[in-house]
mmCIF file with all atom_site columns, all heavy atoms in Angstrom:
data_model
loop_
_atom_site.group_PDB
_atom_site.id
_atom_site.type_symbol
_atom_site.label_atom_id
_atom_site.label_alt_id
_atom_site.label_comp_id
_atom_site.label_asym_id
_atom_site.label_entity_id
_atom_site.label_seq_id
_atom_site.pdbx_PDB_ins_code
_atom_site.Cartn_x
_atom_site.Cartn_y
_atom_site.Cartn_z
_atom_site.occupancy
_atom_site.B_iso_or_equiv
_atom_site.pdbx_formal_charge
_atom_site.auth_seq_id
_atom_site.auth_comp_id
_atom_site.auth_asym_id
_atom_site.auth_atom_id
_atom_site.pdbx_PDB_model_num
ATOM 1   N N   . LEU A 1 13  ? -24.813 67.160 -98.128 1.00 0.00 ? 20  LEU A N   1
ATOM 2   C CA  . LEU A 1 13  ? -25.119 66.430 -96.903 1.00 0.00 ? 20  LEU A CA  1
ATOM 3   C C   . LEU A 1 13  ? -24.021 65.413 -96.586 1.00 0.00 ? 20  LEU A C   1
ATOM 4   O O   . LEU A 1 13  ? -23.607 65.260 -95.439 1.00 0.00 ? 20  LEU A O   1
ATOM 5   C CB  . LEU A 1 13  ? -26.471 65.728 -97.034 1.00 0.00 ? 20  LEU A CB  1
ATOM 6   C CG  . LEU A 1 13  ? -27.684 66.670 -97.020 1.00 0.00 ? 20  LEU A CG  1
ATOM 7   C CD1 . LEU A 1 13  ? -28.966 65.894 -97.294 1.00 0.00 ? 20  LEU A CD1 1
ATOM 8   C CD2 . LEU A 1 13  ? -27.796 67.415 -95.693 1.00 0.00 ? 20  LEU A CD2 1
ATOM 9   N N   . ALA A 1 14  ? -23.543 64.756 -97.644 1.00 0.00 ? 21  ALA A N   1
ATOM 10  C CA  . ALA A 1 14  ? -22.494 63.759 -97.425 1.00 0.00 ? 21  ALA A CA  1
ATOM 11  C C   . ALA A 1 14  ? -21.226 64.418 -96.903 1.00 0.00 ? 21  ALA A C   1
ATOM 12  O O   . ALA A 1 14  ? -20.587 63.933 -95.964 1.00 0.00 ? 21  ALA A O   1
ATOM 13  C CB  . ALA A 1 14  ? -22.201 63.023 -98.739 1.00 0.00 ? 21  ALA A CB  1
ATOM 14  N N   . GLY A 1 20  ? -18.601 66.338 -89.943 1.00 0.00 ? 27  GLY A N   1
ATOM 15  C CA  . GLY A 1 20  ? -18.984 66.072 -88.556 1.00 0.00 ? 27  GLY A CA  1
ATOM 16  C C   . GLY A 1 20  ? -18.182 64.930 -87.979 1.00 0.00 ? 27  GLY A C   1
ATOM 17  O O   . GLY A 1 20  ? -17.685 64.997 -86.859 1.00 0.00 ? 27  GLY A O   1
ATOM 18  N N   . LEU A 1 23  ? -14.738 66.139 -87.300 1.00 0.00 ? 30  LEU A N   1
ATOM 19  C CA  . LEU A 1 23  ? -14.653 66.994 -86.119 1.00 0.00 ? 30  LEU A CA  1
ATOM 20  C C   . LEU A 1 23  ? -14.755 66.178 -84.847 1.00 0.00 ? 30  LEU A C   1
ATOM 21  O O   . LEU A 1 23  ? -14.071 66.434 -83.870 1.00 0.00 ? 30  LEU A O   1
ATOM 22  C CB  . LEU A 1 23  ? -15.780 68.033 -86.148 1.00 0.00 ? 30  LEU A CB  1
ATOM 23  C CG  . LEU A 1 23  ? -15.511 69.235 -87.034 1.00 0.00 ? 30  LEU A CG  1
ATOM 24  C CD1 . LEU A 1 23  ? -16.779 70.066 -87.179 1.00 0.00 ? 30  LEU A CD1 1
ATOM 25  C CD2 . LEU A 1 23  ? -14.387 70.078 -86.482 1.00 0.00 ? 30  LEU A CD2 1
ATOM 26  N N   . ALA A 1 42  ? 10.884  64.116 -80.432 1.00 0.00 ? 49  ALA A N   1
ATOM 27  C CA  . ALA A 1 42  ? 10.951  65.471 -80.998 1.00 0.00 ? 49  ALA A CA  1
ATOM 28  C C   . ALA A 1 42  ? 10.614  66.510 -79.941 1.00 0.00 ? 49  ALA A C   1
ATOM 29  O O   . ALA A 1 42  ? 11.211  67.597 -79.875 1.00 0.00 ? 49  ALA A O   1
ATOM 30  C CB  . ALA A 1 42  ? 10.002  65.578 -82.190 1.00 0.00 ? 49  ALA A CB  1
ATOM 31  N N   . ARG A 1 46  ? 12.894  69.601 -78.667 1.00 0.00 ? 53  ARG A N   1
ATOM 32  C CA  . ARG A 1 46  ? 12.406  70.988 -78.703 1.00 0.00 ? 53  ARG A CA  1
ATOM 33  C C   . ARG A 1 46  ? 12.368  71.572 -77.288 1.00 0.00 ? 53  ARG A C   1
ATOM 34  O O   . ARG A 1 46  ? 12.706  72.736 -77.076 1.00 0.00 ? 53  ARG A O   1
ATOM 35  C CB  . ARG A 1 46  ? 11.010  71.043 -79.338 1.00 0.00 ? 53  ARG A CB  1
ATOM 36  C CG  . ARG A 1 46  ? 10.534  72.470 -79.535 1.00 0.00 ? 53  ARG A CG  1
ATOM 37  C CD  . ARG A 1 46  ? 9.149   72.545 -80.140 1.00 0.00 ? 53  ARG A CD  1
ATOM 38  N NE  . ARG A 1 46  ? 8.735   73.948 -80.245 1.00 0.00 ? 53  ARG A NE  1
ATOM 39  C CZ  . ARG A 1 46  ? 7.495   74.368 -80.163 1.00 0.00 ? 53  ARG A CZ  1
ATOM 40  N NH1 . ARG A 1 46  ? 6.512   73.491 -80.000 1.00 0.00 ? 53  ARG A NH1 1
ATOM 41  N NH2 . ARG A 1 46  ? 7.202   75.640 -80.254 1.00 0.00 ? 53  ARG A NH2 1
ATOM 42  N N   . LEU A 1 50  ? 13.965  74.957 -75.824 1.00 0.00 ? 57  LEU A N   1
ATOM 43  C CA  . LEU A 1 50  ? 13.167  75.997 -75.167 1.00 0.00 ? 57  LEU A CA  1
ATOM 44  C C   . LEU A 1 50  ? 13.699  76.298 -73.766 1.00 0.00 ? 57  LEU A C   1
ATOM 45  O O   . LEU A 1 50  ? 13.832  77.457 -73.369 1.00 0.00 ? 57  LEU A O   1
ATOM 46  C CB  . LEU A 1 50  ? 11.695  75.562 -75.088 1.00 0.00 ? 57  LEU A CB  1
ATOM 47  C CG  . LEU A 1 50  ? 10.929  75.567 -76.416 1.00 0.00 ? 57  LEU A CG  1
ATOM 48  C CD1 . LEU A 1 50  ? 9.573   74.871 -76.252 1.00 0.00 ? 57  LEU A CD1 1
ATOM 49  C CD2 . LEU A 1 50  ? 10.723  76.995 -76.907 1.00 0.00 ? 57  LEU A CD2 1
ATOM 50  N N   . ASP A 1 73  ? 25.760  76.367 -62.350 1.00 0.00 ? 80  ASP A N   1
ATOM 51  C CA  . ASP A 1 73  ? 26.495  75.126 -62.098 1.00 0.00 ? 80  ASP A CA  1
ATOM 52  C C   . ASP A 1 73  ? 25.706  73.984 -62.740 1.00 0.00 ? 80  ASP A C   1
ATOM 53  O O   . ASP A 1 73  ? 24.766  73.446 -62.148 1.00 0.00 ? 80  ASP A O   1
ATOM 54  C CB  . ASP A 1 73  ? 26.625  74.917 -60.585 1.00 0.00 ? 80  ASP A CB  1
ATOM 55  C CG  . ASP A 1 73  ? 27.299  73.590 -60.239 1.00 0.00 ? 80  ASP A CG  1
ATOM 56  O OD1 . ASP A 1 73  ? 27.687  72.853 -61.171 1.00 0.00 ? 80  ASP A OD1 1
ATOM 57  O OD2 . ASP A 1 73  ? 27.413  73.282 -59.032 1.00 0.00 ? 80  ASP A OD2 1
ATOM 58  N N   . HIS A 1 81  ? 16.667  75.548 -55.712 1.00 0.00 ? 88  HIS A N   1
ATOM 59  C CA  . HIS A 1 81  ? 17.460  76.049 -54.581 1.00 0.00 ? 88  HIS A CA  1
ATOM 60  C C   . HIS A 1 81  ? 18.006  74.878 -53.774 1.00 0.00 ? 88  HIS A C   1
ATOM 61  O O   . HIS A 1 81  ? 17.248  73.994 -53.351 1.00 0.00 ? 88  HIS A O   1
ATOM 62  C CB  . HIS A 1 81  ? 16.590  76.938 -53.686 1.00 0.00 ? 88  HIS A CB  1
ATOM 63  C CG  . HIS A 1 81  ? 17.348  77.492 -52.523 1.00 0.00 ? 88  HIS A CG  1
ATOM 64  N ND1 . HIS A 1 81  ? 18.150  78.595 -52.621 1.00 0.00 ? 88  HIS A ND1 1
ATOM 65  C CD2 . HIS A 1 81  ? 17.439  77.083 -51.234 1.00 0.00 ? 88  HIS A CD2 1
ATOM 66  C CE1 . HIS A 1 81  ? 18.699  78.854 -51.440 1.00 0.00 ? 88  HIS A CE1 1
ATOM 67  N NE2 . HIS A 1 81  ? 18.277  77.944 -50.587 1.00 0.00 ? 88  HIS A NE2 1
ATOM 68  N N   . ALA A 1 109 ? 14.015  87.546 -52.633 1.00 0.00 ? 116 ALA A N   1
ATOM 69  C CA  . ALA A 1 109 ? 13.235  88.212 -51.584 1.00 0.00 ? 116 ALA A CA  1
ATOM 70  C C   . ALA A 1 109 ? 12.671  89.508 -52.140 1.00 0.00 ? 116 ALA A C   1
ATOM 71  O O   . ALA A 1 109 ? 13.320  90.203 -52.922 1.00 0.00 ? 116 ALA A O   1
ATOM 72  C CB  . ALA A 1 109 ? 14.118  88.488 -50.370 1.00 0.00 ? 116 ALA A CB  1
ATOM 73  N N   . PRO A 1 122 ? 12.728  65.122 -62.405 1.00 0.00 ? 129 PRO A N   1
ATOM 74  C CA  . PRO A 1 122 ? 11.568  64.253 -62.111 1.00 0.00 ? 129 PRO A CA  1
ATOM 75  C C   . PRO A 1 122 ? 11.709  63.397 -60.857 1.00 0.00 ? 129 PRO A C   1
ATOM 76  O O   . PRO A 1 122 ? 11.241  62.258 -60.846 1.00 0.00 ? 129 PRO A O   1
ATOM 77  C CB  . PRO A 1 122 ? 11.456  63.404 -63.378 1.00 0.00 ? 129 PRO A CB  1
ATOM 78  C CG  . PRO A 1 122 ? 12.829  63.341 -63.927 1.00 0.00 ? 129 PRO A CG  1
ATOM 79  C CD  . PRO A 1 122 ? 13.497  64.631 -63.578 1.00 0.00 ? 129 PRO A CD  1
ATOM 80  N N   . ALA A 1 168 ? 4.236   73.622 -77.092 1.00 0.00 ? 175 ALA A N   1
ATOM 81  C CA  . ALA A 1 168 ? 5.519   74.081 -76.551 1.00 0.00 ? 175 ALA A CA  1
ATOM 82  C C   . ALA A 1 168 ? 5.645   73.683 -75.080 1.00 0.00 ? 175 ALA A C   1
ATOM 83  O O   . ALA A 1 168 ? 6.710   73.223 -74.636 1.00 0.00 ? 175 ALA A O   1
ATOM 84  C CB  . ALA A 1 168 ? 5.643   75.585 -76.713 1.00 0.00 ? 175 ALA A CB  1
ATOM 85  N N   . PHE A 1 173 ? 7.826   70.151 -70.776 1.00 0.00 ? 180 PHE A N   1
ATOM 86  C CA  . PHE A 1 173 ? 7.585   69.124 -69.760 1.00 0.00 ? 180 PHE A CA  1
ATOM 87  C C   . PHE A 1 173 ? 8.267   67.807 -70.146 1.00 0.00 ? 180 PHE A C   1
ATOM 88  O O   . PHE A 1 173 ? 8.874   67.135 -69.300 1.00 0.00 ? 180 PHE A O   1
ATOM 89  C CB  . PHE A 1 173 ? 6.081   68.915 -69.569 1.00 0.00 ? 180 PHE A CB  1
ATOM 90  C CG  . PHE A 1 173 ? 5.746   67.966 -68.449 1.00 0.00 ? 180 PHE A CG  1
ATOM 91  C CD1 . PHE A 1 173 ? 5.946   68.336 -67.128 1.00 0.00 ? 180 PHE A CD1 1
ATOM 92  C CD2 . PHE A 1 173 ? 5.234   66.700 -68.709 1.00 0.00 ? 180 PHE A CD2 1
ATOM 93  C CE1 . PHE A 1 173 ? 5.657   67.464 -66.081 1.00 0.00 ? 180 PHE A CE1 1
ATOM 94  C CE2 . PHE A 1 173 ? 4.939   65.826 -67.672 1.00 0.00 ? 180 PHE A CE2 1
ATOM 95  C CZ  . PHE A 1 173 ? 5.149   66.205 -66.355 1.00 0.00 ? 180 PHE A CZ  1
ATOM 96  N N   . PRO A 1 181 ? 16.450  62.123 -62.283 1.00 0.00 ? 188 PRO A N   1
ATOM 97  C CA  . PRO A 1 181 ? 15.871  62.692 -61.048 1.00 0.00 ? 188 PRO A CA  1
ATOM 98  C C   . PRO A 1 181 ? 16.956  62.997 -60.017 1.00 0.00 ? 188 PRO A C   1
ATOM 99  O O   . PRO A 1 181 ? 17.878  62.210 -59.835 1.00 0.00 ? 188 PRO A O   1
ATOM 100 C CB  . PRO A 1 181 ? 14.926  61.586 -60.561 1.00 0.00 ? 188 PRO A CB  1
ATOM 101 C CG  . PRO A 1 181 ? 15.398  60.337 -61.219 1.00 0.00 ? 188 PRO A CG  1
ATOM 102 C CD  . PRO A 1 181 ? 16.055  60.729 -62.506 1.00 0.00 ? 188 PRO A CD  1
ATOM 103 N N   . ASN A 1 184 ? 16.301  66.828 -54.083 1.00 0.00 ? 191 ASN A N   1
ATOM 104 C CA  . ASN A 1 184 ? 16.679  68.112 -53.488 1.00 0.00 ? 191 ASN A CA  1
ATOM 105 C C   . ASN A 1 184 ? 15.396  68.792 -53.019 1.00 0.00 ? 191 ASN A C   1
ATOM 106 O O   . ASN A 1 184 ? 14.637  69.327 -53.829 1.00 0.00 ? 191 ASN A O   1
ATOM 107 C CB  . ASN A 1 184 ? 17.405  69.006 -54.506 1.00 0.00 ? 191 ASN A CB  1
ATOM 108 C CG  . ASN A 1 184 ? 17.716  70.369 -53.922 1.00 0.00 ? 191 ASN A CG  1
ATOM 109 O OD1 . ASN A 1 184 ? 18.245  70.473 -52.810 1.00 0.00 ? 191 ASN A OD1 1
ATOM 110 N ND2 . ASN A 1 184 ? 17.359  71.428 -54.637 1.00 0.00 ? 191 ASN A ND2 1
#
Side-chain angles (χ1 to χ4, degrees):
Chain A
L20 289 174
L30 279 170
R53 186 181 178 211
L57 288 169
D80 176 1
H88 181 82
F180 185 71
N191 176 48

